Amino acid sequence: MTIQDWSWTTLTIFGLTLLLSALVFSLTANYGLRALLFGVYVPEEERQLPSIAALRRRYQLRVWIAAAVIFAAGAAWILAVNDEAALYTPLAALLQIAVCGALFFSSRREALRLKAERGWGVEASGKRVAGLHSRLGNLTVSDKWFAVHGVVVAACVVCAIVFWDRIPDSLATHYGINGEPDRISNKSIGTVFLMNFFQLFLIGLFWFVQYSIRASKLQLDPRQPNRSLEKQRRFRKVNSAFLMGFSLLLILFFGVLQGFMIYEWPQQAMNIVLVAFLIVLIGSILVLVVYLSRKGLDPQPNTPPDERHWRAGGLFYYNPDDAALFVHKQFGVGWTFNMARPMAWVILSGVIAVPLLLVLISVLLT
Amino acid sequence: MFIEMDLQSEVPLYAQLVDQLIEGIASGALHPGDPLPSVRSLAADLGINLHTVNKAYTLLKQEGFLQVHRKQGVVVNAEGMPGVTEAFERKLDAQLKTLAAEAAVRGLSAEAFAEKCAGAYRSAITGGGESL
């Protein structure tokens, strides 16, 4: 392979990474609740306002322009310098996240201005409705599906043990984004099975995500409790099934990565795997969002949020009088913590500490 | 069955929950042996404090409307309802007296008052108070 070929695969991966994060950012304007405009509650009768649709479109346009500019600058750099592109993809992704975050908050300011102009008073209804039987039956797909993940991990481990003698004495433990190894370590339990530890960690993490989908607050719309309950149950089931498939894909990906590490599979193939993985990821996220919006599935009831408890522009939820640990985000994708619960801090530090610990152990073992 | 809390009402939240659970049992929306959500998950879904739900459950358990099983959690008492106790009769008398006095002062006849009582009783056991 020539250097020119390498830079094309690098460019593809670079482009797909930026595409993925631009997609996620531009979808935050559409995903989920129509009642919320960048976290600002819009009264029912005002939702068809042309300036609302215009604000959403403007934000999305800016996100894509930012992605295009960052991609063009990065691509020019990669083609001009033609090496060490490993650093640029994460840097560019970080830059994009920072820019899109800033775009989001400027759109939120515009939404707040619109709110002041149109006088969208939030009449917090003070009514709360919960179903006594809403948690009967399954809110997520069964945890038994994780057995499939377990089988994949076991297969990876068994293969490594069976082919132990064929595994070379020095292993590439770190790859640049162009697919070339840039760190070599000696063969040991820690290096050979490193990916399996990560797989186990991912299974634990995704089990926890499934648990949080089940446990998170099921707040209903007081005006139509039955309908909003049905919608929320469907929303959770669909997301849970998606995440089950997604986590399996991730586990398989780490297994393949281990294969490239220890069985010396051709490196060109790794780029193809990486590109395929990113394409599948982008495609499945698009399918999920289109499906959810076609079916009109909302993540939360159509009621104004209690703005006193959403801090830092709606980013964090802090309500000591709410027993809920997991609540749905005001904007963006997924669930978040009630920061007033000590357990939220315990879990957050655990999620950060465990991967660090895994890396530390693997470093100590080598 | 749905629980509806009014955070702006003068009636304390735990009392609203107690009343609605008893109304649920009376109307047949809740049957003896039916499981109720755990204190934590009901409090989370309503977005209220754990202690509020805990207080309501504890009161209902003391009165004999609910049971707490180690395995099944909180259930509607499967061994039957507590029946008419002396304490309940005192409570009934006191509350009726207050209402009867005000009804008399406002000029409502004894028959009309009795008819209101009977109507309230009928709608409690048929769940007529709830929108279906």
Side-chain angles (χ1 to χ4, degrees):
Chain A
M1 260 202 164
T2 65
I3 287 171
Q4 206 55 36
D5 288 329
W6 277 121
S7 58
W8 285 117
T9 42
T10 306
L11 267 184
T12 312
I13 293 168
F14 180 67
L16 285 175
T17 311
L18 290 186
L19 180 65
L20 180 66
S21 76
L23 191 68
V24 168
F25 270 101
S26 87
L27 288 175
T28 53
N30 286 34
Y31 177 90
L33 210 54
R34 282 276 132 189
L36 292 175
L37 179 67
F38 300 100
V40 176
Y41 182 77
V42 184
E44 195 117 38
E45 59 281 4
E46 296 271 300
R47 284 178 206 155
Q48 303 304 324
L49 215 64
S51 45
I52 290 178
L55 185 55
R56 284 203 168 102
R57 267 203 310 277
R58 207 154 54 230
Y59 165 76
Q60 284 169 328
L61 188 67
R62 285 174 186 168
V63 166
W64 288 107
I65 289 173
V69 169
I70 293 171
F71 175 73
W77 185 259
I78 289 170
L79 288 176
V81 179
N82 217 347
D83 71 342
E84 275 303 316
L87 199 58
Y88 309 136
T89 304
L91 269 184
L94 275 180
L95 179 67
Q96 195 181 19
I97 289 170
V99 170
C100 291
L103 288 176
F104 187 93
F105 277 98
S106 90
S107 297
R108 186 180 154 84
R109 268 197 301 280
E110 285 181 52
L112 284 170
R113 204 173 306 137
L114 209 55
K115 174 184 174 175
E117 255 170 43
R118 311 273 314 175
W120 296 337
V122 176
E123 61 323 328
S125 77
K127 289 265 199 312
R128 301 279 177 80
V129 170
L132 283 183
H133 303 120
S134 42
R135 289 171 184 283
L136 296 180
N138 294 328
L139 287 170
T140 58
V141 294
S142 166
D143 280 339
K144 286 180 189 145
W145 286 102
F146 280 119
V148 181
H149 300 52
V151 168
V152 172
V153 178
C156 292
V157 171
V158 168
C159 280
I161 293 170
V162 169
F163 296 120
W164 183 264
D165 294 334
R166 273 181 45 188
I167 299 172
D169 286 329
S170 56
L171 298 172
T173 45
H174 191 272
Y175 291 87
I177 193 74
N178 52 4
E180 292 185 69
D182 53 11
R183 195 187 308 143
I184 308 291
S185 308
N186 288 330
K187 175 181 172 183
S188 70
I189 305 244
T191 48
V192 169
F193 297 112
L194 178 65
M195 292 301 160
N196 306 122
F197 291 124
F198 276 115
Q199 286 172 323
L200 289 179
F201 168 72
L202 284 172
I203 291 180
L205 185 70
F206 277 96
W207 175 83
F208 173 72
V209 170
Q210 296 282 350
Y211 166 78
S212 72
I213 292 178
R214 282 193 288 274
S216 90
K217 181 202 270 268
L218 249 174
Q219 198 184 327
L220 306 179
D221 186 347
R223 286 160 300 178
Q224 33 182 299
N226 263 319
R227 219 171 87 90
S228 72
L229 176 60
E230 190 48 39
K231 274 190 168 187
Q232 285 207 55
R233 292 183 63 108
R234 288 276 304 283
F235 181 84
R236 281 170 202 229
K237 200 69 172 268
V238 170
N239 275 278
S240 153
F242 173 80
L243 284 168
M244 195 53 91
F246 173 68
S247 57
L248 182 60
L249 186 70
L250 212 55
I251 300 279
L252 284 169
F253 179 69
F254 271 84
V256 172
L257 225 52
Q258 183 186 29
F260 280 109
M261 246 176 80
I262 64 179
Y263 307 125
E264 299 181 294
W265 289 348
Q267 284 176 5
Q268 301 94 299
M270 189 151 112
N271 281 304
I272 298 168
V273 169
L274 198 53
V275 169
F277 176 70
L278 284 170
I279 288 174
V280 170
L281 194 59
I282 291 171
S284 57
I285 289 177
L286 268 180
V287 168
L288 174 73
V289 173
V290 168
Y291 178 83
L292 287 175
S293 63
R294 279 265 171 87
K295 296 276 172 182
L297 293 180
D298 291 335
Q300 54 187 348
N302 179 10
T303 49
D306 202 336
E307 283 176 347
R308 285 168 305 166
H309 302 307
W310 286 94
R311 307 280 173 87
L315 271 184
F316 300 105
Y317 183 67
Y318 184 94
N319 182 1
D321 280 329
D322 186 345
L325 179 58
F326 308 100
V327 292
H328 204 280
K329 282 185 185 171
Q330 283 303 292
F331 48 76
V333 181
W335 285 264
T336 185
F337 289 107
N338 179 2
M339 290 302 179
R341 301 256 80 81
M343 191 47 100
W345 296 92
V346 173
I347 293 169
L348 272 182
S349 40
V351 169
I352 294 167
V354 171
L356 285 180
L357 216 64
L358 277 179
V359 171
L360 193 70
I361 289 171
S362 78
V363 167
L364 289 178
L365 281 174
T366 47
Chain B
M1 176 186 165
F2 294 105
I3 295 289
E4 186 174 328
M5 294 266 138
D6 187 352
L7 302 195
Q8 275 138 18
S9 162
E10 284 173 17
V11 182
L13 292 178
Y14 82 89
Q16 291 183 35
L17 185 52
V18 165
D19 291 347
Q20 289 187 43
L21 287 172
I22 292 181
E23 282 165 25
I25 299 171
S27 70
L30 290 173
H31 300 282
D34 272 3
L36 293 182
S38 70
V39 171
R40 182 169 292 278
S41 77
L42 184 56
D45 290 349
L46 287 167
I48 60 177
N49 205 297
L50 278 185
H51 303 302
T52 310
V53 176
N54 198 26
K55 189 171 179 181
Y57 276 8
T58 308
L59 278 172
L60 288 167
K61 199 187 89 183
Q62 281 168 356
E63 292 281 326
F65 295 104
L66 300 183
Q67 281 174 316
V68 181
H69 279 283
R70 194 163 289 179
K71 265 190 185 166
Q72 292 164 272
V74 184
V75 297
V76 179
N77 197 341
E79 289 148 26
M81 291 297 126
V84 180
T85 58
E86 255 180 58
F88 172 68
E89 286 205 48
R90 276 199 300 278
K91 178 178 152 191
L92 183 66
D93 288 343
Q95 291 186 3
L96 275 179
K97 188 177 161 192
T98 313
L99 289 172
E102 189 172 345
V105 170
R106 287 179 184 274
L108 195 72
S109 71
E111 290 75 29
F113 183 73
E115 183 44 46
K116 282 274 177 204
C117 285
Y121 192 99
R122 276 196 302 274
S123 89
I125 58 173
T126 54
E130 284 179 57
S131 51
L132 294 173

